[in-house]
C-alpha cells in the first residue's frame, strides 16, 4: 500500500530545523521524501503545511491502571500503592483488565503515541497482550513480578509461580508481530533478592528488557535502604544486573554516584513528570542526567497517578520543571521533543527503525493539524508549537507501521462508545 503525505512540514530530531515537502509511505516504510512527488498512490493525505512528526514513544505506563483514573487521589507513593492501586489490581478480573487495556490503548493512539512500554499487574497479562496485539500499536509489555509483600498490600505471589509465568509469557508473546516482552519486577521492596538475579538470567537468555521502578520517593528509598542496606541504583549495581537491559522509571532521587552508575551501564531512564508531581515525589534531575549523557525518555506512568496518558502534558511539564530548578534555558524544546520521540526509541533499542521521519524507517507517523487558534501564529518556533501549544486535539492522523489507526481524530481500531461503556461498567464492578 502506498500513501502520500502531500505538502507537510516535517519535524524530526535529526533535522536542524524543519523540512517541507511530500512524504511517500510504502509497505510500512518511509520510501521517499521529496518536493512534488507525482507517483501513483492508493491515497493522498493533504497536509497543506500541517506538521508530520514521528509517532510519540512513551516508555513507562500501566495499561491495567487506566480504569483507576481518579480513584486514588491525594496520597503519597507508598500509601497510594498499598491502600489503593495494589488493592484495585488484586480485584481485577479478565474482563475488567481487558476494559482497562482497551481504554488505555485508545487514549494512547488518539494522543499520537505509537510505541509504549507497559508494566501490567500480577495476573491476566495474557489478556492485555491480546489487546495490545489487536491495537496495532508497538508495545513492550510485561507482567509485574511481586514475590514479597509490601506493607499489608493484598497483591503478591509465590516466586516459582511468578518466574514460571514470566517465562511462559515470553515464550508465547515476545517478538510476535510488533509485540516485545519486557520483564517487570515492580520495584525493590516487592521483589526478593534472589529473584532479581533469576530475572536477569532470564532476560539475558531471551534477550528482553527489565522494566522497573526506582528512586521515586524518599520514603521508598528509606524502605529500600532498610531492606538492602543500599540505595536503589547502588543495589542493582551490586548485584551485577545494572546494564543497558535495565529500563528504570522515575530516578527522581538519584545521587551523583548513582547517575554515574546509570551512565556507565547504559541503563535507560523513564522520566514521568506528571506522576512525580501528582504523588508529591519530587523533580528528577533531568538536566544533570542529560549532561552526563544518560538515555532519557518520557512516559505518563498510569492513569491512576497522572490522570492522563497524554504525552503533550508530559513534554510540557518536563520542560517547565527543569526551568524552575535550573533556569529558563535549562531544557530547550528540541531536547524535550527528542526525549518523547527518538530518545524513547533509543531507550527501547529500536532507533534504527523508528523515532525520526527519515527515508528507510518504519512509518510510525503523526500528522498534527496546526491551523487552529491554539497553535497560531505559524511563524512561531515549530518545536515550541508542538511541545508547549499543541495538544491531543491537534492529532489528525496516526500511522503505525504504515497503517492508519487514527483518522481526523477518530479511532479506526476500536469502537470508542463501546470502549467507554465497557470501562464504566468494569470500573463499577471493580469498585463494588
Ligand atoms: Zn509506574
Amino acid at each position: 500500500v502506498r500513501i502520500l503525505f502531500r505538502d507537510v512540514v516535517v519535524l524530526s530530531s535529526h533535522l536542524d530545523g524543519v523540512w517541507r515537502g511530500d512524504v511517500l509511505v510504502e509497505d510500512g516504510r518511509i520510501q521517499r521524501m521529496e518536493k512534488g512527488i507525482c507517483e501513483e498512490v492508493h491515497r493522498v493525505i493533504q497536509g497543506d503545511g500541517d506538521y508530520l512528526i514521528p509517532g510519540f514513544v512513551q516508555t513507562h505506563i500501566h495499561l491495567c491502571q487506566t480504569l483507576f483514573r481518579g480513584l486514588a487521589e491525594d496520597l503519597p507513593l507508598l500509601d497510594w500503592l498499598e491502600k489503593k492501586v495494589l488493592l484495585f489490581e488484586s480485584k481485577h478480573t479478565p474482563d475488567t483488565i481487558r476494559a482497562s487495556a482497551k481504554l488505555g490503548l485508545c487514549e494512547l493512539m488518539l494522543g499520537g503515541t505509537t510505541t509504549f512500554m507497559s508494566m501490567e499487574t500480577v495476573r491476566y497479562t495474557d489478556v492485555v497482550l491480546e489487546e495490545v496485539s489487536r491495537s496495532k500499536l508497538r508495545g513492550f509489555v510485561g507482567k509485574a513480578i511481586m514475590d514479597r509483600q509490601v506493607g499489608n498490600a493484598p497483591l503478591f505471589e509465590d516466586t516459582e509461580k511468578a518466574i514460571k509465568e514470566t517465562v511462559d509469557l515470553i515464550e508465547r508473546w515476545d517478538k510476535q508481530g510488533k509485540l516485545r516482552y519486557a520483564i517487570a519486577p515492580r520495584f525493590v521492596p516487592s521483589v526478593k533478592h534472589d529473584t532479581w538475579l533469576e530475572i536477569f538470567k532470564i532476560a539475558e537468555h531471551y534477550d528482553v528488557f527489565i522494566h522497573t521502578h526506582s528512586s521515586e520517593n524518599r520514603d521508598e528509598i528509606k524502605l529500600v535502604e532498610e531492606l538492602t542496606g543500599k540505595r536503589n541504583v547502588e543495589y542493582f549495581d551490586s548485584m551485577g544486573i545494572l546494564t543497558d537491559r535495565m529500563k528504570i522509571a522515575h530516578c527522581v532521587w538519584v545521587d551523583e554516584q548513582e547517575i554515574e552508575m546509570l551512565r556507565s551501564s547504559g541503563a535507560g531512564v523513564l522520566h514521568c513528570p506528571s506522576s512525580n508531581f501528582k504523588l508529591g515525589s519530587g523533580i528528577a534531575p533531568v538536566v544533570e542526567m542529560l549532561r552526563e549523557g544518560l538515555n532519557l525518555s518520557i512516559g505518563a506512568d498510569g492513569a491512576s497517578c497522572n490522570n492522563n496518558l497524554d504525552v503533550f502534558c508530559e513534554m510540557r511539564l518536563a520542560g517547565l520543571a527543569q526551568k524552575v530548578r535550573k533556569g529558563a534555558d535549562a531544557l530547550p524544546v528540541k531536547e524535550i521533543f527528542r526525549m518523547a520521540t527518538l530518545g524513547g526509541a533509543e531507550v527501547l533499542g529500536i532507533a534504527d527503525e523508528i523515532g525520526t521521519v527519515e527515508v528507510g524507517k518504519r512509518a510510525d507517523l503523526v500528522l498534527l493539524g496546526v491551523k487552529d487558534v491554539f497553535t497560531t501564529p505559524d511563524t512561531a518556533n515549530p518545536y515550541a508549537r508542538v511541545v508547549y501549544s499543541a495538544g491531543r486535539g491537534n492529532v489528525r492522523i496516526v500511522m503505525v507501521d504504515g497503517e492508519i489507526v487514527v483518522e481526523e481524530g477518530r479511532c479506526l481500531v476500536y469502537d470508542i462508545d463501546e470502549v467507554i461503556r465497557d470501562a464504566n461498567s468494569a470500573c463499577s464492578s471493580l469498585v463494588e
Side-chain angles (χ1 to χ4, degrees):
V1 178
R2 275 201 200 138
I3 299 175
L4 182 69
F5 289 94
R6 170 87 71 205
D7 188 24
V8 288
V9 173
V10 172
L11 277 67
S12 181
S13 300
H14 75 291
L15 296 172
D16 278 338
V18 299
W19 175 91
R20 185 164 184 164
D22 300 343
V23 175
L24 179 70
V25 171
E26 186 171 1
D27 298 331
R29 283 192 192 275
I30 301 168
Q31 202 63 252
R32 285 168 63 191
M33 291 174 64
E34 286 161 33
K35 291 178 201 293
I37 295 177
C38 13
E39 218 169 288
E40 210 169 291
V41 295
H42 297 91
R43 167 137 192 235
V44 177
I45 295 165
Q46 289 294 347
D48 297 323
D50 278 346
Y51 289 177
L52 191 69
I53 63 173
F56 290 112
V57 179
Q58 292 203 56
T59 52
H60 183 68
I61 61 154
H62 302 261
L63 286 174
C64 65
Q65 293 176 12
T66 324
L67 224 49
F68 315 153
R69 193 194 316 268
L71 295 184
E73 297 304 297
D74 308 326
L75 291 167
L77 176 71
L78 295 175
D79 286 343
W80 168 86
L81 190 64
E82 194 183 316
K83 295 184 180 140
K84 298 283 181 178
V85 172
L86 295 182
L87 173 67
F88 294 146
E89 283 189 18
S90 75
K91 302 287 180 201
H92 257 316
T93 66
D95 284 346
T96 61
I97 210 163
R98 188 181 300 280
S100 187
K102 281 163 78 169
L103 186 65
L105 290 160
C106 286
E107 185 172 357
L108 289 173
M109 69 177 86
L110 287 168
T113 294
T114 53
T115 296
F116 64 90
M117 181 155 68
S118 181
M119 178 185 291
E120 292 311 308
T121 185
V122 168
R123 288 187 287 266
Y124 312 128
T125 304
D126 260 312
V127 176
V128 176
L129 285 155
E130 264 170 47
E131 282 307 325
V132 173
S133 90
R134 191 170 303 166
S135 76
K136 302 180 181 176
L137 297 186
R138 229 177 266 286
F140 292 66
V141 181
K143 145 197 166 61
I145 294 183
M146 305 181 68
D147 64 347
R148 180 156 65 182
Q149 189 175 18
V150 182
N152 295 313
L155 194 64
F156 58 97
E157 66 181 339
D158 179 64
T159 308
E160 203 183 322
K161 188 170 171 292
I163 295 291
K164 191 171 169 294
E165 198 179 333
T166 295
V167 169
D168 177 55
L169 288 166
I170 296 173
E171 292 202 333
R172 285 186 298 113
W173 289 101
D174 183 46
K175 301 175 187 80
Q176 299 297 310
K178 294 191 283 286
L179 253 179
R180 295 284 308 269
Y181 197 86
I183 306 180
R186 191 160 201 137
F187 72 147
V188 170
S190 78
V191 180
K192 289 180 185 163
H193 182 82
D194 289 348
T195 308
W196 286 103
L197 303 174
E198 182 72 24
I199 286 168
F200 187 70
K201 266 194 247 160
I202 297 167
E204 295 257 282
H205 178 77
Y206 288 100
D207 189 22
V208 295
F209 295 144
I210 300 171
H211 176 200
T212 191
H213 297 102
S214 141
S215 319
E216 180 171 357
N217 150 305
R218 281 180 283 195
D219 291 336
E220 169 232 342
I221 290 173
K222 219 187 289 165
L223 180 58
V224 169
E225 280 176 334
E226 281 164 23
L227 288 164
T228 71
K230 296 187 170 64
R231 295 172 65 84
N232 281 278
V233 177
E234 204 188 340
Y235 177 58
F236 295 141
D237 188 60
S238 73
M239 288 188 284
I241 67 170
L242 188 66
T243 68
D244 58 2
R245 261 182 218 294
M246 288 285 275
K247 311 297 170 187
I248 308 176
H250 306 306
C251 299
V252 174
W253 299 100
V254 282
D255 63 19
E256 257 175 57
Q257 193 198 346
E258 288 177 293
I259 292 179
E260 171 52 25
M261 286 171 173
L262 290 167
R263 186 202 62 77
S264 59
S265 66
V269 174
L270 327 175
H271 178 43
C272 306
S274 291
S275 163
N276 299 156
F277 273 48
K278 192 153 184 295
L279 296 175
S281 300
I283 307 179
V286 167
V287 170
E288 292 87 332
M289 291 195 273
L290 285 173
R291 195 175 54 214
E292 292 302 316
L294 266 65
N295 297 319
L296 253 76
S297 57
I298 280 183
D301 208 349
S304 50
C305 59
N306 185 306
N307 298 354
N308 294 313
L309 305 178
D310 180 356
V311 77
F312 292 97
C313 276
E314 300 313 308
M315 288 195 293
R316 181 182 178 81
L317 205 51
L320 300 186
Q322 297 308 311
K323 288 171 189 297
V324 170
R325 288 183 67 236
K326 292 284 181 181
D329 60 350
L331 194 57
V333 275
K334 188 87 184 278
E335 192 70 53
I336 302 168
F337 181 85
R338 190 184 191 287
M339 284 202 288
T341 55
L342 185 60
E346 285 172 352
V347 162
L348 297 177
I350 48 175
D352 53 342
E353 290 281 41
I354 63 153
T356 54
V357 184
E358 275 183 275
V359 170
K361 283 206 173 175
R362 306 303 307 179
D364 286 15
L365 300 168
V366 172
L367 185 66
L368 282 182
V370 287
K371 297 186 195 73
D372 62 355
V373 167
F374 315 114
T375 53
T376 297
D378 59 11
T379 43
N381 174 330
Y383 290 92
R385 279 177 104 187
V386 174
V387 169
Y388 288 125
S389 302
R392 293 187 284 191
N394 294 88
V395 172
R396 280 183 57 190
I397 305 244
V398 180
M399 177 182 267
V400 189
D401 225 34
E403 202 174 340
I404 295 173
V405 296
V406 172
E407 169 99 49
E408 301 306 339
R410 256 182 339 106
C411 180
L412 301 186
V413 181
Y414 290 105
D415 175 344
I416 292 294
D417 293 335
E418 188 187 293
V419 168
I420 294 172
R421 210 168 42 237
D422 290 353
N424 281 328
S425 86
C427 191
S428 21
S429 76
L430 200 90
V431 172
E432 266 171 35

